[in-house]
Amino acid sequence: MADSTFYDTTVQTAGTLALAHEKILRLKRNGNFENVTGDTNNLAGVPTAVSVTRENYGNKGLPSVNKIGDSWVISFDCEAIRDDTGAIAQPWLVPLINIAKGKGAGNKIDAQLFDAKDPALGAIEGTFTVEVVDFATGFADKGGYKVTLTSDGVVRQVTSPIAGSGAPLIASALPLNAVASANVYVRGSNVGAITAATIGGVAATSISQIPGEPNIVVLEVPAGSVGSAPIIVTNAVGASTAYAYTRGA
């Protein structure tokens, strides 16, 4: 089922101590919403009703309001994992920290929050300002960040990303900038039985699955030019929406 397979994509970066969640947080990076839940702890979303007053006909003096939506604050903690060079290993975390240092539009990011198992619950999606502060984990060699996302106005109620017809839904494609003959690991929902795949409109050189990993399909990059190369994968039900990807030579 789409809901269970999408839940399985909440896999943390190697080395983290993050906990499992039954909600999924996705942040937009490189034009796509990317699931970051596997690296987070204490994920919480708090809505606040936004209302406007209205005239209560026949009841003068009695106030009345209409709710027009919700503003949201989403908060979470993230341990920073560093590679052998000292760089932070989570590819999404560095851009988020830099956005937190920005001003105006440069301090905003698009985000989605939704239930990981029940598509009937829908999702929220909107633009959020970003605040990041350091925290201490109590380990001499580890550190991390407390992130607060505050919605820029009322958020939208949208169809849950885990709802669908059974066609593939791509959540991520890594590594970025893969070159010809290299493998791209496409993670998402309903990708366990892919019958065809294209990268930049050209058929993938090969399609393979990893035993025990039904939510990953491995595509070999065909020959082509550097630049935009959207990925589309197809199963017996249909084709995925094109996933924005930039390839190497």
Side-chain angles (χ1 to χ4, degrees), residues 78-101:
C78 179
E79 178 189 356
I81 300 301
R82 298 183 182 272
D83 62 22
D84 293 341
T85 69
I88 292 177
Q90 294 100 319
W92 61 271
L93 183 54
V94 172
L96 188 68
I97 294 171
N98 287 332
I99 288 172
K101 299 173 182 176

Side-chain angles (χ1 to χ4, degrees), residues 51-67:
S51 304
V52 294
T53 58
R54 70 178 182 89
E55 185 174 356
N56 193 356
Y57 293 103
N59 293 280
K60 289 187 177 295
L62 297 178
S64 181
V65 296
N66 278 344
K67 177 180 172 179

